[in-house]
Each structure stands twice: as C-alpha cells, then as structure tokens.
Amino acid sequence: MTSHPHGKAEHARSVAGHAAAVAELLQPLRSLERTETLPLTQALGRGLVDHVTAPISLPPFANSQMDGYAVRSGDLSGAGADLSIVPPVPAGSSPQPLAPGTAAPIMTGAMIPEGADAVVPIEKAEPDRFPEPGPDGAVNWNGAVKLPATAPGTYVRAAGSDIAAGERALAAGTCLGPAQLGLLAALGIPEVTVYKAATVLLVTTGDEVVDPGRDLPPGKIYDSNGTLLEAAMKQAGLTVRRTAISTDNPAELLALLRAGSRRADLIVTTGGVSKGAYEVVRQAMADQPVEFLHVAMQPGGPQGIGTFDGVPFLGFPGNPVSCLVSFEMFLRPALSAFLGAPAPRLPLRARLDQPLASPAHKHQIRRGSLQPDGTVKLEGGEGSHLMHALAGSNVLVHVPAGVTELAAGDEVEVWML
C-alpha cells in the first residue's frame, strides 16, 4: 500500500463533509409530523420512531424443546428409572402439576408442568415411541416408561430466555424487516409507529437522452439514470415520482420542477451539474439557494445541493455509475440515519485479487465482485459510464483519499449491493 498523507489537495469538499451537508439538508424528514401508525403487515421496510419494550416475556412460560417426557430429574438419578405415564401435555394446554415418580408425554412447545424440570426426548425412552391410537382414535396412555438419567433443564426453554418483559425489544430507528416484524408479532404487538416514506421527484436531464423503446438517432443515448435511480430509491423505501426527460433548456426544466415539487419531500436531478457550456441544472438554479461544488470522490465528483422553492434539492452527475455512487454515498446513508430505512450498508473487509491505482486526493469507489474465498475481483475500470461492469458487480470497493496504490492481497472496505 502506498499513501501520500502530505501534499496539497485540490480544492474540493471531502466525502465526509458532503455527507454531513446532505444530512443537514434532510434533517426535516425526521420530524414527528412525518410519522404514522401502521399494522405490522404494512410496516415492512419502515423505520421505528420509538423504542419498543417487550410487554411480555418470550417464551412467556417454560416449554418443551422436544417431543418426549416431562420429568422430575431427581426421579432419574443413576441409571434412570421406570416411571408411570400420566395424561399427555399437548401444545396449547395448561397441564396439571407433575407428581413424583411420574412422566408426562409432552409435545414440542407445550408448557412444562409444575414440578417438572427436564424433558427426555422420545428417542431416548423405552419404548422409543408414543402409543398408537386405537380403532376409535383414542390413545391409551396407561403404563410405564423407562427413562435414562437426565440433568435439570434438559430440553427446557426457560420463560424469558429469549427476552424478558420490560427489556428493550427494538431500538428507535430500527429498519423493520421480516425478523423484526416477527418479533413484534410474537410479543403480541399489532401495530407500530414508523416514519412516513419520503417522496422524491426524480428528473433526468440532457438533450442527448431518450427513453428506452424509442428510436435512437445519431448522437443520442438511452436514459439509464432514471431507471437505475428509481429502482435504487424504491428499494430504499422512497416513493418516486418521475418527470419527463428535460432538455437542456433551463425554462423547460424549471417548468418540470415547479409542476412536481409541491408534492415532493426531495428533488433529485441527474446531469447538468458540471462546468460545461450546457449545464442545464446549474442554469435553472441560478436564482435558487443551491451550491454547485466538487467532492473529492471518483466517480461522482460534481454535486449540487440546496433547496428549490424551499424543497431540499440534490443534483447528481449525469454518468450512470456516478449517479448511483452519489446515491449510495450521500442520500442512502442520510435516509438510514433519519428514517431508519433502508438498513445501512454494512462495511466488510476483503482482499483484492489484483493491484489498483487511485488518485492521491480522491476517495475512489470501484465496482467489484466478492468471491467465495473472501477476495474481491474488480469489475471494469475507473470509468463512470461502465454500466455492464456495474451490472456484474455485487460490491462497491472503497479506496480512501491519500491511498494511491494497493497491491493484490491488500485489504479494502467493501459495501454489499
């Protein structure tokens, strides 16, 4: 690994600095006015507003982990014993106390009778099966069973062994996935207060861009940014409204924004934020409190941030990889922090399967595929137009500013996509 901690960097905002600016811009999304209470079936993918405390213990009572016999372990010292069989304990029933010298057939999940402190699995009993039903369907439970010595607590799920009543079940800000919703249901909680999904107005710009499915004249390209970002945003829990593709006419872009911004919590545009001669977003925002700047990041350096008619605004670059990286680095983390959804990307460590070079003063994000052996294979080069390489990737590979060279085998941070 080669680093250059010294030396003069180009004038650009750091990745962390821009992430903080985006977070500040989107802080109002966390308002308690933007919450709602939903049944669990409608809360998937939302973020919790408040901590949830367990109203009951899980399990709420000691129960059997196996089909077998509930016993008093003291009755089975040494080589075990022959015990009289008493009526069975099916799941959902409230059993009678277990008398000394007896064993109660018990089913998985059934309540442990008072006095019992262990369960012997049916496979270890003699006989090793429960009686078969008779012609009338009834089971004759009379008789005795030989059981081996068993320690107290064997195959018993203690009350509260998962969570005790009064403990915190889920923290505020938790993204509600299937496991979290299942826990709430197990606790008997039918509904939950969550943050409302934010609505984003998504606008693709450029005279060179046409919708997929239309003829492709010379010099034109199909719009991939709209589909790419809409999918990423919907996957992150946003409600997305798209406009028609804007030309490079600032008046047309302003009309599209004003028509759609009244019902949006956030505006995101792609393209038109660099320093070229036809940067329509920069031109359209001339009278708005919007800053256009360069972030020390590759790809995705040119960025716009501010408000349009009071609505938070983010301007992403026009190259497809750049706009997705911008979303992953700035917008998605802010949504995770303020709305609890989507769940944040968990950073992993992987070893490069090849060397790479990176600009000294930029945080470089490369696309890669995490391999079963824990190495990461880079997909494509540094170019921000390489959609095929992006589609073949499952991670973003991070090379921090100041690191210029990494060798094969060096560790890098990766984010799973």
Side-chain angles (χ1 to χ4, degrees):
M1 176 186 296
T2 302
S3 304
H4 291 275
H6 305 293
K8 188 176 181 180
E10 63 179 281
H11 182 68
R13 177 181 283 173
S14 70
V15 169
H18 194 64
V22 172
E24 182 178 359
L25 177 73
L26 299 183
Q27 179 74 38
L29 293 181
R30 201 168 192 166
S31 166
L32 291 179
E33 297 176 358
R34 301 194 68 263
T35 65
E36 58 186 343
T37 299
L38 297 176
L40 298 187
T41 54
Q42 297 177 24
L44 180 64
R46 298 293 190 88
L48 274 179
V49 174
D50 302 308
H51 299 314
V52 175
T53 299
I56 62 172
S57 294
L58 289 181
F61 49 84
N63 68 85
S64 178
Q65 191 176 338
M66 305 286 284
D67 291 338
Y69 288 94
V71 298
R72 293 171 176 264
S73 60
D75 290 341
L76 299 174
S77 58
D82 292 321
L83 302 180
S84 299
I85 299 175
V86 297
V89 185
S93 67
S94 181
Q96 296 296 313
L98 187 69
T102 65
I106 191 167
M107 309 307 143
T108 302
M111 180 184 288
I112 298 293
E114 181 183 342
D117 64 355
V119 172
V120 179
I122 186 63
E123 301 87 61
K124 294 186 177 181
E126 294 181 20
D128 62 358
R129 66 186 65 84
F130 293 131
E132 295 291 336
D136 60 355
V139 177
N140 180 8
W141 293 102
N142 296 324
V145 63
K146 183 175 181 61
L147 300 172
T150 301
T154 301
Y155 295 118
V156 174
R157 299 169 177 151
S161 55
D162 188 3
I163 185 172
E167 289 184 353
R168 180 179 296 177
L170 295 172
T174 296
C175 183
L176 296 174
Q180 291 74 30
L181 292 170
L183 171 60
L184 294 173
L187 291 169
I189 298 172
E191 60 186 20
V192 66
T193 301
V194 296
Y195 289 102
K196 291 181 179 179
T199 298
V200 60
L201 180 69
L202 178 59
V203 186
T204 301
T205 70
D207 283 338
E208 77 280 13
V209 181
V210 298
D211 283 316
R214 296 188 176 183
D215 291 336
L216 192 66
K220 305 288 187 180
I221 60 172
Y222 286 123
D223 172 33
S224 61
N225 288 355
T227 298
L228 180 67
L229 275 181
E230 180 178 9
M233 290 172 172
K234 285 183 175 179
Q235 192 177 63
L238 289 167
T239 299
V240 182
R241 294 175 42 236
R242 285 174 64 178
T243 69
I245 296 171
S246 173
T247 67
D248 285 332
N249 182 331
E252 179 182 333
L253 176 57
L254 281 171
L256 286 174
L257 293 175
R258 292 218 157 93
S261 63
R262 296 182 186 89
R263 294 179 294 149
D265 301 303
L266 170 67
I267 299 168
V268 174
T269 62
T270 69
V273 296
S274 298
K275 296 181 179 179
Y278 304 100
E279 304 299 339
V280 64
V281 177
R282 294 177 74 112
Q283 294 171 328
M285 296 292 168
D287 296 327
Q288 298 286 335
V290 173
E291 179 183 9
F292 293 92
L293 67 151
H294 197 87
V295 175
M297 180 174 78
Q298 183 188 58
Q303 298 286 328
I305 183 171
T307 59
F308 176 83
D309 290 352
V311 179
F313 165 83
L314 293 174
F316 290 163
N319 280 315
V321 177
S322 296
C323 72
L324 182 66
V325 166
S326 299
F327 170 79
E328 289 288 340
M329 294 297 291
F330 304 125
L331 179 51
R332 197 179 193 279
L335 296 173
S336 297
F338 293 142
L339 303 183
R345 301 287 192 200
L346 293 179
L348 304 174
R349 304 295 296 180
R351 294 189 179 276
L352 288 169
D353 77 342
Q354 66 191 83
L356 65 75
S358 183
H361 302 297
K362 292 184 179 181
H363 182 123
Q364 188 182 69
I365 298 100
R366 296 284 293 271
R367 280 69 63 206
S369 295
L370 189 62
Q371 305 298 304
D373 63 359
T375 62
V376 61
K377 174 187 174 184
L378 299 178
E379 300 287 351
E382 302 173 11
S384 57
H385 64 292
L386 301 173
M387 277 297 296
H388 184 251
L390 177 63
S393 302
N394 60 15
V395 294
L396 295 179
V397 180
H398 291 265
V399 184
V403 177
T404 58
E405 294 180 12
L406 289 169
D410 282 346
E411 274 199 349
V412 289
E413 181 178 298
V414 300
W415 292 1
M416 295 296 299
L417 292 174

